[in-house]
Amino acid sequence: MTEIHLTGRAASPGLAIGPVTVLTAAIAKRTAIGDPAQEAAALQAAIEAATAEIAELMSTMQGEVADILEFQVAMLEDDALAEGAYDAISVGVAADHAWRSALDAEISGYRAAEDEYFRARAADLADIRDRVLARLSGGDTPAKITGSSIVAGDDISPTTFLAADWTRGGAIALAAGSPSSHVAMLARTRGAPMVVGLGPLSWNGHPPSLALVDGDAGTVIFDPEPETLRLFEHRVAAANAARTAADAGRTEPAHTADGRPIAVLLNIAAPEDLAGLDPKICDGIGLVRTEFLFEASRGLPDEDTQYAVYRRILDWAEARPVTIRTLDAGGDKPIKGLTVDDERNPFLGLRGIRLSLARPEVFRVQLRALCRAAVHGALKVMLPMIAVPSELDRAAAMLDEEFGGLKAKGVACARPPLGIMVEVPAAALRAEDFDAAFYSIGSNDLTQYTMAAARDIGAVADLNDTGNPAVLALIASTVEAGRKRGVEVSLCGDAGADTRLTTALLATGLTTLSVSPIAVARLKAAIARVGS
Ligand code: PEP
Ligand code: MG
């Protein structure tokens, strides 16, 4: 048996060694009831049972995970999804066959989509398909993963991923998949190494027993030779030792080797991301994405709901600065009923501050909630997707009006400092022209707009590089504008957590980086090596 080396795309960092579990959708055989009306009823019952099952799982999850499951529930509740299956049943096709063909057609449509976002959702649909099939055949939910296995397969569904315990190690090696899929996002937050796009996993009839996964390099070795295994074990041991050392330093302030203090802030997508975290690991919160409050299924959040959430985050931070970003809907974050459907190029459309200014009745509610929350801590408010100074000025005028209105009514409130995200090259080039209280560089968008390489299209992933000198020059010019104007400049895009870029980012003069909680220890360790 010779070892098999495969190269794909890194989707979640880390190294893992483990026995291979080959994913199969083990669905029991089903005997059709026969009568179309009974078959239709059986399908309906199976869909309802699967929906209830996912909804129950959702009630035990929070934040991003709950959002993913909510997407699946929404799909299952959409009558259009099963329409084709019911049509087939009415002409005599068995419920399971009808459902499978309808969903397979839908899945191949998603897989062939031009937009990586939709391609990445194919795994969610496959998950829905298999859950309903499992219900129809009276079987259990498919595919169980146990222990610290390396899960190998075509693709993996979010619920299959969530059913496994990733705290005991393990990794994922996929023939297909996408780094921007929901599962990849989950793998990153749970620390499970993942490689996607490995191409056909053909074992010549003999499934491998052991695999080595390198989630940093995007490589997988199946059935390694003893010497390959030995070398990899050394790498794993070194990586574990480095992680233990980094974890120990997590609550210490970050300094470069030559003594420069660097502030490390947190990016969060919901207050649940802070559960169980010690505030001492950070110097504050650099980015609160507020889109989670605006999910269509929950309706637009009222002022009190928003205030309560913002206050919870400020309370957690114990007087450390907290930067909350106003709604950044649109682009890759559509919100039904709020963002514009069918924009030809949503990344260049009515998103971020543009949408907020176009929908002042929604924006003003958020501004009022923020003014009320501001009395409970060091709150800063940040505007996304700013391109020209007039956008900041108009938003500032609205903030002043809402603050004035609350004060006149005797409501406890404060006017938080208003800063901008620098994520459009026009703003980076002319940062000095903006009367902003601070700048926060959104490197995800700044990179895609500078390089004309979308952040969610795998085929141009190599161009979407924050380390490109053009992007670094824009970051440096923003830092310089902040220095001249005497205001803080931070960076809150994903590049902050990419330790391969830490030296280059700090060389631009940046002294504040904001990253997701899981990246803090690694980043602080990388900062400590800069200038050594
Ligand atoms: C960014 O663009 O870098 C950023 C932090 O904003 P988001 O990823 O939410 O667009
Ligand atoms: Mg952005």
Side-chain angles (χ1 to χ4, degrees):
M1 197 165 23
T2 47
E3 60 185 31
I4 304 169
H5 286 246
L6 294 177
T7 301
R9 288 164 68 194
S12 176
L15 306 176
I17 302 175
V20 176
T21 298
V22 179
L23 269 183
T24 46
I27 309 283
K29 280 237 171 319
R30 169 179 181 269
T31 318
I33 304 164
D35 171 71
Q38 284 173 308
E39 285 294 283
L43 177 59
Q44 194 187 344
I47 291 174
E48 281 168 8
T51 311
E53 206 172 84
I54 301 173
E56 195 191 319
L57 186 61
M58 190 168 91
S59 67
T60 63
M61 307 278 173
Q62 287 172 326
E64 201 168 61
V65 180
D67 294 346
I68 291 168
L69 297 174
E70 190 177 4
F71 170 81
Q72 294 198 354
V73 170
M75 291 292 287
L76 275 171
E77 283 174 345
D78 182 354
D79 292 341
L81 187 70
E83 213 171 71
Y86 286 120
D87 287 349
I89 290 171
S90 69
V91 295
V93 178
D96 50 342
H97 285 285
W99 171 256
R100 185 186 278 283
S101 332
L103 267 285
D104 281 350
E106 192 82 11
I107 291 165
S108 51
Y110 270 68
R111 285 208 173 118
E114 232 169 74
D115 190 331
E116 173 109 3
Y117 174 84
F118 288 108
R119 286 204 301 279
R121 302 289 88 82
D124 294 283
L125 276 170
D127 200 2
I128 291 171
R129 177 196 61 198
D130 294 345
R131 257 178 199 275
V132 172
L133 284 175
R135 287 281 131 207
L136 266 175
S137 56
D140 204 355
T141 45
K144 297 254 183 288
I145 304 163
T146 49
S148 56
S149 27
I150 306 297
V151 179
D154 188 33
D155 208 345
I156 179 172
S157 69
T159 50
T160 305
F161 177 89
L162 289 171
D165 176 7
W166 297 100
T167 58
R168 295 158 60 203
I172 301 161
L174 299 178
S178 154
S180 50
S181 68
H182 279 148
V183 173
M185 283 158 48
L186 288 171
R188 287 194 288 272
T189 48
R190 305 250 162 140
M194 176 170 178
V195 179
V196 300
L198 290 166
L201 303 175
S202 55
W203 330 114
N204 304 327
H206 302 285
S209 51
L210 196 72
L212 316 177
V213 175
D214 184 336
D216 299 303
T219 57
V220 180
I221 302 172
F222 289 109
D223 284 331
E225 303 287 350
E227 181 59 9
T228 311
L229 175 61
R230 198 182 63 79
L231 291 174
F232 201 85
E233 278 169 346
H234 279 298
R235 288 185 57 206
V236 171
N240 286 344
R243 201 175 50 218
T244 309
D247 279 347
R250 215 159 75 121
T251 51
E252 297 298 319
H255 288 277
T256 59
D258 47 9
R260 236 182 341 143
I262 303 295
V264 175
L265 310 177
L266 299 186
N267 290 348
I268 61 164
E272 288 76 23
D273 294 354
L274 298 169
L277 281 185
D278 180 349
K280 289 196 198 75
I281 67 164
C282 68
D283 299 289
I285 297 183
L287 167 64
V288 179
R289 292 182 164 97
T290 56
E291 292 74 60
F292 74 97
L293 282 164
F294 291 79
E295 267 140 27
S297 58
R298 296 183 195 146
L300 290 179
D302 63 21
E303 188 183 311
D304 284 344
T305 305
Q306 293 192 49
Y307 163 74
V309 168
Y310 303 153
R311 185 176 172 176
R312 243 173 90 196
I313 299 168
L314 285 157
D315 287 346
W316 178 90
E318 296 171 349
R320 290 173 184 79
V322 172
T323 303
I324 297 185
R325 181 175 73 183
T326 61
L327 180 66
D328 185 24
D332 57 340
K333 305 168 203 133
I335 294 179
K336 253 208 168 102
L338 193 59
T339 49
V340 183
D341 289 334
D342 303 326
E343 275 184 313
R344 188 112 63 85
N345 193 337
F347 276 124
L348 301 183
L350 199 64
R351 62 168 295 204
I353 189 66
R354 304 165 185 189
L355 184 73
S356 290
L357 292 174
R359 297 289 302 270
E361 74 287 3
V362 177
F363 190 41
R364 285 177 183 276
V365 174
Q366 187 167 35
L367 294 177
R368 281 199 296 278
L370 287 164
C371 287
R372 285 173 55 197
V375 297
H376 299 290
L379 175 66
K380 296 151 98 176
V381 173
M382 166 158 95
L383 303 168
M385 278 296 291
I386 291 279
V388 292
S390 62
E391 291 166 330
L392 168 61
D393 299 342
R394 288 168 63 198
M398 286 190 203
L399 181 63
D400 288 338
E401 282 163 20
E402 294 311 322
F403 169 62
L406 287 169
K407 222 165 79 164
K409 281 196 220 143
V411 177
C413 62
R415 200 274 194 197
L418 191 61
I420 62 167
M421 288 201 69
V422 175
E423 47 188 352
V424 176
L429 286 164
R430 304 294 311 180
E432 253 188 278
D433 297 350
F434 294 78
D435 188 19
F438 60 91
Y439 304 111
S440 181
I441 298 166
S443 54
N444 303 336
D445 278 313
L446 185 61
T447 305
Q448 73 162 344
Y449 294 133
T450 305
M451 303 305 298
R455 57 197 271 180
D456 60 353
I457 296 184
V460 293
D462 289 346
L463 280 172
N464 189 281
D465 172 19
T466 304
N468 182 284
V471 184
L472 292 173
L474 290 176
I475 294 173
S477 84
T478 307
V479 172
E480 177 58 14
R483 196 193 55 76
K484 281 195 191 147
R485 291 195 53 246
V487 300
E488 187 196 73
V489 182
S490 60
L491 181 140
C492 65
D494 287 0
D498 185 343
T499 51
R500 292 167 301 186
L501 293 176
T502 309
T503 300
L505 290 177
L506 298 189
T508 66
L510 275 169
T511 53
T512 305
L513 298 174
S514 192
V515 299
S516 67
I518 199 161
V520 167
R522 228 161 90 108
L523 174 61
K524 286 190 174 179
I527 290 170
R529 291 193 293 271
V530 172
S532 57

